[in-house]
Amino acid sequence: AIKLGGSLALLIEVKAIGLELKDHHVKQAVDYASNQGCDWVILTNGRVWRAYKVIFAKPIDQELVLDLDLTALNPHKDEDLALVWLLCKEGWQKARLKEYSEQRQALSRFTIGALLVSESVIDALRKELKHVTPDTKIDKAEIQKVLETEVLRREVVEGEKAEAAKKLVAKVAKKLLKSTKTDAEPEAPTGMP
């Protein structure tokens, strides 16, 4: 267990260096972390280091955030050094692995796919299509159908991860719409002369 500032930051499950890391090792490490209420667990055999974000749902799940093979890294490449830095003390104190995880989630094919079929993007596409073919009427549902069946891969718009991404995008859009409406509301009159 690694503690920073007196609180549990992560658990590290260490296996023998010659041992190949397998799914049951991941499950064991995630179970340890979930029992301790820890959000992060690292599984390593000394050569390969894998960082997992524990997802406290029913059942407990995990997301692989980082997979490093130290023997494949180039110490002269900034990108490789930045990945190792995510696991060092300073990186943990600045929550860089969490930021890296959030960036990966934002750039996942599921989030991008959910954004592409969102109402605001379809509206923008419809507007641009009107410039391309001004005399043709194009329905938003037709654009969405083409995106979902011909442009995007099926696994990007269907399945558990796709649904989670759609919910995230819808939640953000609703929040943005609500804040826009609040900003647009006129102020109440303060008094009559």
Side-chain angles (χ1 to χ4, degrees), residues 65-133:
V65 175
L66 184 65
D67 190 358
L68 292 176
D69 182 342
L70 295 181
T71 62
L73 296 178
N74 181 344
H76 302 293
K77 285 179 67 180
D78 289 340
E79 301 87 29
D80 288 356
L81 294 175
L83 291 175
V84 173
W85 191 75
L86 295 172
L87 299 178
C88 74
K89 181 179 179 180
E90 293 81 8
W92 275 98
Q93 288 173 326
K94 296 182 180 186
R96 296 295 192 230
L97 188 60
K98 180 181 179 207
E99 289 175 8
Y100 179 76
S101 173
E102 290 170 352
Q103 180 186 27
R104 282 182 41 137
Q105 182 181 13
L107 293 174
S108 80
R109 64 182 182 218
F110 303 106
T111 304
I112 299 294
L115 285 169
L116 286 173
V117 296
S118 69
E119 189 173 339
S120 60
V121 172
I122 289 175
D123 286 342
L125 284 171
R126 185 171 180 231
K127 182 179 176 184
E128 291 302 316
L129 285 169
K130 283 183 181 181
H131 295 301
V132 174
T133 56

Side-chain angles (χ1 to χ4, degrees), residues 139-150:
D139 187 49
K140 291 193 298 187
E142 292 174 296
I143 297 170
Q144 183 170 359
K145 182 180 177 187
V146 169
L147 285 171
E148 290 180 344
T149 61
E150 297 179 35

Side-chain angles (χ1 to χ4, degrees), residues 13-16 18-26 43-46 48-50 52 67:
E13 175 70 18
V14 181
K15 299 298 182 186
L19 190 65
E20 183 182 343
L21 301 178
K22 301 200 178 213
D23 288 344
H24 68 274
H25 297 130
V26 175
L43 176 62
T44 184
N45 62 9
V48 175
W49 290 71
R50 294 183 181 149
Y52 294 89
D67 190 358

Side-chain angles (χ1 to χ4, degrees), residues 158-179:
E158 293 180 6
E160 192 176 308
K161 289 184 178 182
E163 289 304 316
K166 286 178 187 176
K167 287 179 183 176
L168 175 66
V169 168
K171 181 180 175 183
V172 170
K174 185 177 178 180
K175 187 176 179 181
L176 184 62
L177 182 63
K178 185 178 178 182
S179 69

